Amino acid sequence: MKRVFSSLLKAFAYTLLFVGVQLVVSFGMMLVFGMEMGIEAGMSGTMPDLAAIETALAEKLLEKTGILTLISGILTLLLLWPVFAAQKKSYFNEIFLYPLEQGAVWPLTGLGISAALTVTLLLSLLPIPEDVMLEYAEAAASLGTPTFLDAVSTVLIAPIAEEVVFRGLVYTRLRRGMPVWAACLLSSLIFALLHGQILWIAYAFVLGVIFATVMERTGTVWSTIIMHVAFNLVGGYLIEYLPASIVLLVIAMVTLAACWKWLGRVYRSR
């Protein structure tokens, strides 16, 4: 029981760090936006409407989600350095950033791409209630038109930060105090709940399970970083150029299974 409590406490602490940094960065950005609006209102000589300002700030923050994620992701990774240094522990060992087996990059990339295709095509082909899909579309539209910084944040920084925290730290700590399946489900649930919208939560949970399974297979967070980068690149920017069809879904699912088998051969000795 003591080991379980310790693993839960550490997982909670790392999750709190991740969320806390995002909240602090969000608050800082809102302060900056608020000051800008106040200066503009002062120069125009108009009395600011508090309700309008709150709405404008919320919309502005949504538009800058990519920058928020970029800054908070980098800060999270940097803040972990003194945490482990104070304990005289290796940063890379603590986050399980161990080398990959030779030949693992390609099946991992294939897993990320085929997972993105499978999840996105399922969302478009399954009979999901219209109101849920409408909410999903509105949530995606509220993020605005992606910029170059948004792409860097989504495809590179977010996958690195999220995998370091949720697989390299949260999953591995839970794994020390409970069975693999329990650590997998719990870490995936925590990861999913931070995604907000119901469909994002649903597919983030499925992804969390896949990533945790791959982490267990390979023993290094490099594997899930590669998968996550490939997933976000295809799911966020390339999938719109492909037609939604059952045939493509079947191909994606077969490729997913084939890449998993390929990865199993690379890590046969584990």
Side-chain angles (χ1 to χ4, degrees), residues 8-162:
L8 288 170
L9 186 61
K10 289 178 180 179
F12 174 75
Y14 289 125
T15 303
L16 189 62
L17 173 67
F18 181 83
V19 175
V21 170
Q22 289 195 326
L23 290 176
V24 169
V25 173
S26 298
F27 182 71
M29 290 177 68
M30 289 187 73
L31 280 179
V32 173
F33 297 150
M35 290 174 63
E36 290 177 350
M37 290 178 184
I39 292 171
E40 290 175 1
M43 293 179 65
S44 63
T46 59
M47 181 65 69
D49 181 354
L50 185 58
I53 289 176
E54 290 177 350
T55 301
L57 283 175
E59 291 176 351
K60 189 82 170 177
L61 196 61
L62 277 174
E63 290 176 2
K64 301 298 182 180
T65 298
I67 297 177
L68 188 158
T69 303
L70 183 73
I71 296 173
S72 59
I74 292 173
L75 279 178
T76 299
L77 294 172
L78 290 176
L79 284 172
L80 287 169
W81 279 99
V83 170
F84 297 130
Q87 303 174 61
K88 297 182 179 179
K89 294 180 178 179
S90 166
Y91 183 96
F92 299 114
N93 290 346
E94 288 300 303
I95 64 173
F96 281 71
L97 197 66
Y98 298 121
L100 286 166
E101 292 286 343
Q102 186 176 3
V105 171
W106 295 114
L108 289 167
T109 303
L111 281 170
I113 293 172
S114 54
L117 292 172
T118 300
V119 170
T120 308
L121 291 171
L122 281 174
L123 285 177
S124 63
L125 295 173
L126 287 176
I128 299 172
E130 186 176 346
D131 57 332
V132 176
M133 288 302 298
L134 181 61
E135 181 187 348
Y136 172 78
E138 290 176 348
S142 67
L143 299 178
T145 304
T147 64
F148 174 74
L149 283 179
D150 291 331
V152 172
S153 174
T154 303
V155 177
L156 188 61
I157 303 301
I160 293 174
E162 290 177 359

Side-chain angles (χ1 to χ4, degrees), residues 101-102 216-218 262-270:
E101 292 286 343
Q102 186 176 3
E216 186 67 24
R217 169 80 277 187
T218 63
W262 183 3
L263 185 68
R265 289 181 178 177
V266 174
Y267 281 88
R268 186 174 296 171
S269 59
R270 288 183 62 87

